Amino acid sequence: MSNDYESDRKRMVEQQIRARGISDPAVLSAMLRVPRHLFVEEESRYRAYSDAALPIRENQTISQPYIVSLMSENAQLNSTDRVLEIGTGSGYQAAVLGEIAREVYTIEIVESLAQQAKRKLADLNYTNIHVKHGDGYQGWPEQAPFDAILITAATPEIPKPLVEQLKEGGRIVLPLGDKPFSQDLLRITKTSKGLKKEYLAGVVFVPMTGEVRK
Ligand code: SAH
């Protein structure tokens, strides 16, 4: 029997990801491997590999495959890296990171989503991915410092604790902005002279909630 999802994934990588300029072989092979259809709701499974963000529970979304690949590539990951993700959601982005980096720590503020993602990632044998329920604003100090941090919810500012938990030379990729339907996807690099900011793309993410709004 043929594996339809595998051919769907190949098409996704060729038409949505490689065609738009993503070229890091580790990112491309991670996108080919992670079974995205297992991270979406059953009723959306038929379009799991389409060029779109999709709804998950608790009014949240799983990002568009291209955006997942763009954030992963711009985190400039190495196979020995330790990565922090804020906004576990479905766990899909964490799984992609887990294919590329050594250890992935991911924090989700909605408890039911954190539990569901933890179970899914364990079922798929991602033993290098660690899920925690909580507000990502404070990061994960016990596991710091990190080589890279991905924030996958829109934030009006870069949480200070996250900058502190980043190694020198480390990268934060995040959607920055206080408008609900448009943010700037940025890469912030921590250098000896301060933070270097680069604009990557215009994006739309669900809002980061919790302490950053206070
Ligand atoms: N990376 C996810 C998609 C993220 S959607 C995936 O691959 O599926 C954004 C997620 O961030 C939502 O699940 C939302 O609940 C979570 N979130 C929002 N504010 C947060 C905060 N302060 N700390 C941790 N998670 C947060």
Side-chain angles (χ1 to χ4, degrees):
M1 220 174 84
S2 73
N3 182 337
D4 288 329
Y5 288 120
E6 199 174 314
S7 57
D8 287 349
R9 272 200 294 283
K10 278 194 184 134
R11 198 173 317 118
M12 171 189 85
V13 167
E14 290 311 317
Q15 298 179 353
Q16 303 171 30
I17 295 174
R18 206 195 292 272
R20 291 193 181 114
I22 301 297
S23 63
D24 181 339
V27 172
L28 295 171
S29 83
M31 300 296 296
L32 275 176
R33 287 170 62 94
V34 179
R36 182 172 165 93
H37 61 282
L38 299 181
F39 291 88
V40 303
E41 294 302 308
E42 230 166 282
E43 60 269 25
S44 318
R45 204 159 274 177
Y46 72 98
R47 53 188 180 132
Y49 296 97
S50 66
D51 193 11
L54 293 172
I56 57 173
R57 291 186 197 172
E58 307 286 347
N59 282 322
Q60 303 300 329
T61 54
I62 173 173
S63 307
Q64 180 191 6
Y66 170 64
I67 295 297
V68 171
S69 69
L70 184 67
M71 292 184 79
S72 304
E73 178 163 88
N74 279 287
Q76 299 170 310
L77 300 173
N78 204 291
S79 61
T80 56
D81 281 357
R82 298 163 53 78
V83 184
L84 176 67
E85 180 195 24
I86 308 304
T88 313
S90 67
Y92 176 70
Q93 170 79 75
V96 170
L97 297 171
E99 294 278 348
I100 304 170
R102 175 164 298 163
E103 299 293 337
V104 178
Y105 297 87
T106 179
I107 307 174
E108 170 56 53
I109 203 165
V110 177
E111 187 165 16
S112 63
L113 291 176
Q115 282 170 357
Q116 201 184 2
K118 187 180 243 178
R119 212 174 314 122
K120 193 157 295 173
L121 292 164
D123 286 348
L124 291 167
N125 290 318
Y126 283 107
T127 54
N128 63 335
I129 304 178
H130 316 278
V131 182
K132 179 166 100 165
H133 165 232
D135 188 335
Y137 186 90
Q138 293 299 341
W140 199 323
E142 300 83 0
Q143 299 297 343
F146 301 100
D147 299 281
I149 300 176
L150 271 72
I151 307 179
T152 65
T155 174
E157 65 182 53
I158 308 167
K160 275 219 180 63
L162 300 184
V163 175
E164 283 155 17
Q165 291 170 32
L166 189 64
K167 285 185 195 168
E168 193 173 310
R171 293 79 53 198
I172 303 181
V173 179
L174 82 162
L176 189 74
D178 42 25
K179 286 192 233 118
F181 298 111
S182 92
Q183 303 99 32
D184 292 342
L185 188 67
L186 301 180
R187 172 170 58 210
I188 310 288
T189 307
K190 189 176 183 176
T191 75
S192 57
K193 295 182 218 129
L195 299 181
K196 179 177 123 192
K197 290 187 191 178
E198 294 163 275
Y199 173 84
L200 303 174
V203 288
V204 183
F205 275 81
V206 297
M208 184 168 177
T209 58
E211 197 167 334
V212 78
R213 302 288 164 187
K214 284 178 191 145

